[in-house]
Amino acid sequence: MTSAPPPSARSPLGALWRHHRRYRRRVVAAIACTSVNTAMDVAPEILLGAAVDVVVRGDDSFVGSTLGVDGRFAQLVVIAALNALVWILESLSDYVASLLWRGLAQTVEHDLRVEAYSTVQRLDVAWHERTSTGKVLSVLSDDVNQLERFLDVGARTILHTAWTVVLVGAVFAVTSWQLTLLAFLPVPVIVLGSIRFQRRLEPLYAAVRETAGEVSATLATNLGGLTTIKAFTAEERETARVERVSDDYRVANRRAIASSSAFVPLIRMAILAGFTSTLLLGGWFVFEGRLEVGLYSVLVFLTQRLLWPLTDLGQTLDLYQRAMASTRRIFALLDEEPHGVDGTRRLPAPVRGGLELRGVRFGYDDGPDVLRGVDLVVPAGETHAVVGSTGAGKSSLLRLVLRFSDPRAGQVLLDGVDVRDLTWESLRGAIGYVSQDVFLFHGTVRDNLAYGRPEASDAEVEQAARLAEAHGFISALPEGYATVVGERGLTLSGGQRQRIALARAILRDPALLVLDEATSAVDNETEAAIQRSLAVVTASRTALVVAHRLSTVRDAHRIWVLSEGRVAESGTHDELVAAGGIYAQLWAVQTGSAVAGPAHR
């Protein structure tokens, strides 16, 4: 038995209908209002024909003979009253239909954007590392907006056109089969042309959406790396890059527009043929007495009412194809599944923070193992460090502890529980993480400090800042804790950002504190401040420190030395220096008692 294809592989409209089944009643109500609106929109032409019939035939008119109204003026009053009622109903149904369709479009846009963003947040760190941020932003913003525009305008236009064809066709059908045939002769041409153009436009607009994603990706990357661009005087080169991808987008759009624009002239020629046929044959029937003048005028007006709205079909088809290409991209994103599945267990209270790795093997995608059978134990309440040369596997080990990735073999245990069995909240709620690349959100210093614990009091926030030795420089800021930091905290120095990140982790009061190269990019003063802070905050909790500067971990209870993905050595600082192995060589290089290689003359 074959499994059902994912939503992104099915009809985009069908996927939307199934995905948003909770809005089906609203859709039905919107369709009903649009149907009433279309009927009221067609009715004035019929009433106009009835008025012409009154003027020409007098008491023998349709209104006079059917409704029993005597006198031409009285008959016109009746028609005027009916016309007023029709216009009121048309205006009211148009208002309600607009509210329903636009509200539906906004609601679906909102739901899909939030759902897509939620999906993006659930996906693994590895997925984000191999996926362009700009392309994700293009889906969350531009693609969702394309769908909103179609639901707001296009869907209603298609429905209005379809009902116009049905209602006008009914009037023609009860009048003359010859006129019906001639008036509707262009419709198959238009429908077949629509199908042909739809198939032709589908890959063109898929290319448009793809190039739009490239533009977003390039802009997002360049704006994020603006300081690097300036530092390497690469402004002209990057402008040329943006110009190139923007031109690709322009060319893709131009190809799609060239095809969609050719559709309107085709429709106009078909309309001309249908209108001319009705005008001539209908007039001939009037001359021969086979058709009343009033009815003839109705049919002439209705022919235009039938065919002229089809000129908008080209623009509507354009909206449709853009929206369907975007919908496929949205559902392709929603179809993404994280490799890591949320566990069901919670850590037993009180959480102590004991950490253990048993026979852990890990690698990226289909690549070779980066960690090769690592065994490591960090007893609760102790501070352990992981050191090693670049590429030894230090950051990969931390990914497994935080469960940004899962091992290929072996176990990572926190308080004796496999982290894969724990809920995200239980696992990461017990960990305070300080990365080398500190990320601060645009907002106040206090907002960033309390990010992991928004309910913290001002006193608790200040105490965490004092423990991280950040209170002094925060108080000196223009507005203290209420000072707004720029995007990514770029208005602060690297050392200040690092201390805020440490305070943010401390405020969460984690059982396990994890630091990834927290002092690698700071000055000596900041390094000393972080060391003093760590000495205080790790006294009552477990800490795992990945460090490049060995001076920051010399007081750790145990140091684990990684080499080529394996634990090569472990022990205290003094034990490892005395052993004369890898750690001793690293220490000698960093303290200047040995040279890394021959000097160059």
Side-chain angles (χ1 to χ4, degrees):
M1 182 177 179
T2 58
S3 58
S8 58
R10 309 171 195 163
S11 162
L13 281 179
L16 279 172
W17 179 253
R18 287 184 293 271
H19 194 74
H20 293 284
R21 57 174 54 90
R22 61 187 178 279
Y23 300 132
R24 288 180 180 178
R25 291 186 178 180
R26 194 182 304 183
V27 173
V28 171
I31 291 173
C33 286
T34 302
S35 302
V36 172
N37 177 253
T38 306
M40 296 301 102
D41 194 43
V42 171
E45 277 78 6
I46 299 175
L47 293 174
L48 181 60
V52 172
D53 190 45
V54 169
V55 172
V56 174
R57 299 173 61 194
D59 291 339
D60 293 333
S61 69
F62 176 80
V63 174
S65 59
T66 304
L67 301 182
V69 179
D70 297 326
R72 294 182 178 182
F73 186 76
Q75 293 176 30
L76 290 177
V77 169
V78 171
I79 293 173
L82 289 174
N83 187 62
L85 178 62
V86 164
W87 276 77
I88 291 172
L89 290 175
E90 193 274 338
S91 299
L92 182 61
S93 60
D94 181 69
Y95 172 72
V96 176
S98 294
L99 286 182
L100 289 172
W101 282 115
R102 292 184 176 183
L104 185 68
Q106 295 294 326
T107 302
V108 170
E109 176 190 37
H110 167 77
D111 287 356
L112 283 178
R113 178 176 287 121
V114 172
E115 187 176 355
Y117 175 75
S118 178
T119 298
V120 167
Q121 283 199 139
R122 290 199 314 271
L123 294 173
D124 309 290
V125 173
W127 183 90
H128 288 277
E129 290 171 344
R130 64 175 181 267
T131 305
S132 164
T133 302
K135 289 187 176 181
V136 176
L137 288 174
S138 177
V139 174
L140 295 176
S141 179
D142 195 27
D143 284 324
V144 173
N145 290 341
Q146 290 286 353
L147 177 59
E148 183 269 336
R149 280 192 284 271
F150 170 71
L151 292 176
D152 189 3
V153 178
R156 188 178 177 189
T157 301
I158 290 174
L159 187 62
H160 182 78
T161 302
W163 268 118
T164 299
V165 171
V166 171
L167 295 173
V168 172
V171 176
F172 268 87
V174 298
T175 303
S176 168
W177 68 267
Q178 295 99 328
L179 289 175
T180 302
L181 180 63
L182 289 176
F184 278 79
L185 193 60
V187 174
V189 177
I190 295 172
V191 171
L192 292 175
S194 299
I195 295 173
R196 178 186 173 187
F197 272 83
Q198 178 181 337
R199 291 175 179 172
R200 184 174 180 178
L201 288 172
E202 185 172 346
L204 294 178
Y205 277 116
V208 169
R209 301 313 319 140
E210 187 65 28
T211 52
E214 290 291 342
V215 171
S216 296
T218 303
L219 291 174
T221 301
N222 284 16
L223 290 175
L226 200 58
T227 53
T228 303
I229 292 172
K230 287 181 175 295
F232 286 89
T233 60
E235 290 92 341
E236 291 187 8
R237 188 164 71 248
E238 292 306 326
T239 298
R241 188 203 303 270
V242 171
E243 183 179 5
R244 186 167 58 252
V245 296
S246 181
D247 188 62
D248 290 341
Y249 176 62
R250 180 176 62 87
V251 170
N253 251 315
R254 189 166 56 193
R255 289 171 182 163
I257 292 170
S259 293
S260 63
S261 297
F263 189 57
V264 175
L266 172 67
I267 295 176
R268 288 180 180 273
M269 293 304 100
I271 290 172
L272 176 61
F275 186 78
T276 303
S277 299
T278 304
L279 186 70
L280 295 177
L281 184 61
W284 179 259
F285 283 171
V286 172
F287 297 153
E288 290 196 339
R290 298 168 57 184
L291 189 66
E292 297 294 340
V293 175
L295 193 54
Y296 169 67
S297 62
V298 169
L299 296 181
V300 171
F301 281 120
L302 285 182
T303 302
Q304 187 175 13
R305 172 65 67 182
L306 167 68
L307 299 177
W308 190 252
L310 296 179
T311 57
D312 293 333
L313 202 56
Q315 182 180 0
T316 304
L317 190 64
D318 187 82
L319 282 174
Y320 172 79
Q321 285 299 345
R322 288 177 183 268
M324 294 306 100
S326 293
T327 301
R328 287 188 179 91
R329 283 162 54 88
I330 294 169
F331 278 104
L333 178 58
L334 293 178
D335 288 342
E336 293 283 354
E337 292 288 343
H339 293 294
V341 180
D342 195 7
T344 58
R345 295 184 58 184
R346 297 188 61 82
L347 286 169
V351 180
R352 299 167 57 246
L355 180 67
E356 182 178 0
L357 277 71
R358 295 180 184 171
V360 168
R361 288 178 49 246
F362 171 71
Y364 296 92
D365 297 326
D366 297 327
D369 285 348
V370 176
L371 298 178
R372 303 175 175 89
V374 172
D375 292 297
L376 182 151
V377 178
V378 183
E382 292 190 5
T383 297
H384 283 217
V386 178
V387 302
S389 59
T390 301
K394 304 185 298 295
S395 295
S396 298
L397 187 148
L398 289 192
R399 289 173 70 102
L400 301 180
V401 173
L402 291 159
R403 211 189 161 205
F404 291 157
S405 299
D406 287 332
R408 290 174 174 173
Q411 290 179 295
V412 179
L413 306 169
L414 185 60
D415 281 355
V417 182
D418 194 317
V419 295
R420 288 171 290 196
D421 297 331
L422 294 172
T423 64
W424 302 121
E425 182 183 358
S426 181
L427 170 63
R428 293 172 184 164
I431 298 175
Y433 177 56
V434 181
S435 67
Q436 177 182 2
D437 182 19
V438 175
F439 187 94
L440 299 183
F441 295 90
H442 182 74
T444 66
V445 172
R446 189 198 186 285
D447 292 338
N448 279 280
L449 287 170
Y451 186 75
R453 195 176 151 208
E455 74 284 357
S457 66
D458 290 343
E460 290 171 324
V461 170
E462 183 177 322
Q463 176 62 18
R466 289 182 182 278
L467 288 173
E469 297 200 15
H471 177 71
F473 80 79
I474 293 174
S475 300
L477 292 174
E479 297 181 58
Y481 285 82
T483 301
V484 175
V485 300
E487 188 174 0
R488 298 183 65 89
L490 294 180
T491 58
L492 302 175
S493 70
Q496 290 172 333
R497 292 198 300 271
Q498 199 71 53
R499 279 185 268 184
I500 287 178
L502 179 59
R504 179 167 61 187
I506 293 171
L507 181 61
R508 207 171 187 189
D509 192 22
L512 172 62
L513 184 62
V514 175
L515 292 91
D516 183 10
E517 303 277 13
T519 61
S520 63
V522 299
D523 53 52
N524 292 332
E525 180 184 352
T526 302
E527 180 185 356
I530 291 176
Q531 282 184 286
R532 290 192 298 269
S533 301
L534 290 177
V536 175
V537 300
T538 60
S540 58
R541 59 172 52 87
T542 313
L544 180 65
V545 182
V546 167
H548 173 70
R549 293 185 181 180
L550 303 185
S551 57
T552 62
V553 298
R554 64 179 299 171
D555 294 328
H557 292 90
R558 178 169 290 272
I559 300 171
W560 302 84
V561 182
L562 291 185
S563 177
E564 297 182 351
R566 294 184 174 89
V567 176
E569 302 170 350
S570 70
T572 65
H573 169 78
D574 293 337
E575 291 171 347
L576 292 173
V577 170
I582 297 174
Y583 182 87
Q585 294 174 13
L586 293 172
W587 177 256
V589 170
Q590 291 192 16
T591 56
S593 58
V595 242
H600 294 280
R601 295 179 182 269

